[in-house]
């Protein structure tokens, strides 16, 4: 198949920042891209060959869009899977497959899948709705012990849909939706491994990264590559990630988030079957970015080198608390004056508290120096209105 400077059309479901960064690779290779996205103001509106506005959960919209393209991928899991099933049975290549997505889209089903496949994960229980969870607590079911982590089963993103329940009253403000209660894990750090798998089954892993979280927003503040962990722990994390990748049988990028526990165990938290926040550092720090490798994998081209050229740290740029409206990136010139600092602005005109608006990558030969600069970047730039 001739993908380059040809009539081949790649379809992408979702037009957010992940799609935007994927488009920089399709443009590099001169591959035509069609994007379907519900918001007319989404970041992908400028980079795609054609940009279509429509509901990703609507069967007909997704199905009709799929008829326009030669291969379909996605940058968000919340899409209509019945439409993807029909397109796949009619011969359209869809990567990752709807079968894989069905195991991942619902977090309760995803957790059950780990248990069924003997993949180490925290203890959990599924509930049809919040009311059932409250009943289980009032009946003192042994599996539910406060504190625990509440997660909505579907449509959560960027820390939304996750809440640590420390008292029964914490449940009062949660939506009455399908959810899971997860046992709290005592961990040293949160890690992630990105696995890329091509159509023909070639597999590569990126180095283990470490994630530092914002205490209130439950969002990643820093992604550090390589993770500051023992080589033995890194080896176990990579082995677990490969096991997860094989079990899901995904095509493209799979990001596996994990807990490194106080007992030196590795427990899988959750996965994302697409390019992921934990791999953004790879644009500057790796020989081949996660976005380029996702493209190589779904087009069944040789996978690129996943090794790092240099230590990389990514800082998320999120809207400051107390600011909503037309975005201003305060002190961006100040951080751009520092060697090895590259800002990525996602193209969202409106900011609001904790909304992901961009990221900054810091590369340096010296990890300690990179971490120091990351702190300086974090304290300098402000996303305000």
């Amino acid at each position: 198949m001739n993908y380059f400077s040809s009539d081949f059309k790649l379809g992408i479901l979702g037009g957010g920042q992940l799609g935007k960064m994927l488009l920089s690779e399709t443009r590099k290779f001169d591959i035509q891209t069609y994007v379907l996205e519900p918001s007319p103001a989404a970041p992908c509106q400028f980079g795609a060959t054609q940009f279509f506005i429509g509901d990703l959960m609507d069967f007909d919209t997704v199905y009709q869009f799929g008829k326009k393209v030669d291969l379909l991928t996605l940058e968000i899991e919340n899409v209509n899977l019945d439409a993807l099933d029909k397109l796949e049975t009619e011969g359209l290549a869809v990567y990752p497959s709807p079968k894989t997505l069905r195991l991942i889209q619902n977090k309760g089903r995803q957790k059950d899948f780990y248990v069924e496949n003997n993949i180490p994960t925290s203890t959990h229980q599924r509930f049809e709705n919040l009311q059932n969870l409250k009943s289980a607590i009032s009946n003192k079911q042994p599996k539910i012990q406060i504190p625990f982590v509440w997660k909505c089963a579907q449509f959560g993103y960027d820390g939304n849909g996750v809440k640590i329940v420390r008292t029964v009253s914490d449940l009062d403000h949660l939506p009455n939706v399908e959810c899971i209660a997860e046992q709290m894990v005592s961990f040293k750090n949160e890690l992630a491994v990105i696995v890329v798998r091509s159509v023909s089954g070639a597999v590569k892993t990126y180095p283990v990264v470490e994630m530092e979280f914002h205490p209130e927003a439950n969002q990643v503040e820093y992604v550090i590559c390589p993770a500051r962990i023992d080589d033995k722990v890194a080896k176990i994390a990579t082995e677990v990630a490969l096991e997860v990748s094989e079990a899901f049988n995904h095509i493209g990028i799979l990001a596996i988030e994990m807990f490194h526990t106080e007992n030196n165990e590795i427990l899988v938290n959750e996965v994302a079957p697409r390019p992921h926040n934990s791999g953004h550092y790879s644009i500057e720090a790796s020989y081949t970015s996660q976005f380029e490798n996702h493209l190589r994998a779904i087009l069944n081209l040789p996978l690129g080198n996943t090794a790092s050229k240099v230590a990389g740290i990514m800082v998320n740029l999120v809207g400051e608390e107390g600011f909503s409206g037309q975005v201003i990136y305060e002190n961006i010139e100040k951080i751009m004056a520092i060697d090895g600092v590259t800002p990525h602005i996602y193209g969202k005109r409106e900011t609001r508290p904790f909304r992901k608006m961009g990221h900054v990558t810091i590369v340096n030969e010296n990890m300690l120096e990179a971490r120091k600069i990351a702190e300086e970047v974090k304290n300098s730039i402000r996303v305000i209105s």
Side-chain angles (χ1 to χ4, degrees), residues 162-322:
V162 180
K163 171 92 177 160
I164 295 175
V165 175
R166 299 186 192 280
T167 63
V168 176
S169 61
D170 287 343
L171 295 166
D172 294 344
H173 309 294
L174 297 176
N176 192 31
V177 293
E178 187 191 343
C179 57
I180 53 174
E182 282 183 10
Q183 192 179 322
M184 289 277 280
V185 173
S186 180
F187 59 85
K188 291 180 188 177
N189 41 34
E190 296 197 47
L191 308 174
V193 176
I194 285 179
V195 182
V196 58
R197 177 187 294 269
S198 76
V199 175
S200 58
V203 177
K204 289 192 178 192
T205 58
Y206 281 83
V208 184
V209 302
E210 178 185 346
M211 300 183 290
E212 284 187 30
F213 276 74
H214 185 285
E216 284 133 55
N218 195 42
Q219 283 181 338
V220 177
E221 266 191 316
Y222 301 103
V223 171
I224 299 166
C225 182
R228 298 165 297 184
I229 53 172
D230 192 276
D231 286 349
K232 279 187 231 158
V233 177
K235 188 171 182 286
I236 296 165
T238 302
E239 284 167 1
V240 170
L242 285 167
E243 202 185 319
V244 173
S245 164
E246 198 170 317
F248 279 120
N249 194 26
H250 69 100
I251 305 293
I253 290 283
L254 185 74
I256 299 106
E257 295 183 31
M258 314 170 191
F259 298 117
H260 171 211
T261 72
E262 297 291 356
N263 309 328
N264 281 331
E265 288 179 296
I266 294 290
L267 300 181
V268 174
N269 178 19
E270 55 189 50
V271 300
R274 51 165 169 78
H276 187 255
N277 194 256
S278 63
H280 290 351
Y281 77 90
S282 65
I283 298 172
E284 279 79 24
S286 307
Y287 285 97
T288 314
S289 78
Q290 64 165 341
F291 298 97
E292 181 179 328
N293 255 338
H294 181 72
L295 204 54
R296 285 171 176 245
I298 63 175
L299 299 177
N300 207 23
L301 296 165
L303 296 179
N305 184 352
T306 53
S308 295
K309 296 182 270 193
V310 66
I313 295 185
M314 186 220 52
V315 178
N316 272 323
L317 294 182
V318 300
E320 290 267 335
E321 283 188 271

Side-chain angles (χ1 to χ4, degrees), residues 2-76:
N2 178 20
Y3 302 117
F4 314 101
S5 303
S6 71
D7 292 332
F8 172 82
K9 295 175 188 70
L10 173 67
I12 304 170
L13 295 171
Q17 64 262 22
L18 300 174
K20 184 188 180 197
M21 288 181 265
L22 190 58
L23 290 179
S24 69
E25 303 301 335
T26 59
R27 292 177 81 152
K28 182 168 84 183
F29 293 135
D30 198 38
I31 294 168
Q32 282 196 67
T33 48
Y34 284 21
V35 172
L36 178 67
E37 158 65 34
S39 167
C44 279
Q45 61 178 310
F46 300 116
T49 312
Q50 287 204 45
F51 183 72
F52 299 85
I53 296 162
D55 181 357
L56 298 175
M57 293 304 291
D58 180 68
F59 178 94
D60 286 335
T61 304
V62 173
Y63 177 73
Q64 292 305 331
F65 175 75
K67 301 304 278 181
K68 294 180 172 71
V69 301
D70 300 299
L71 190 150
L72 196 53
T73 191
L74 49 86
E75 60 109 66
I76 186 168

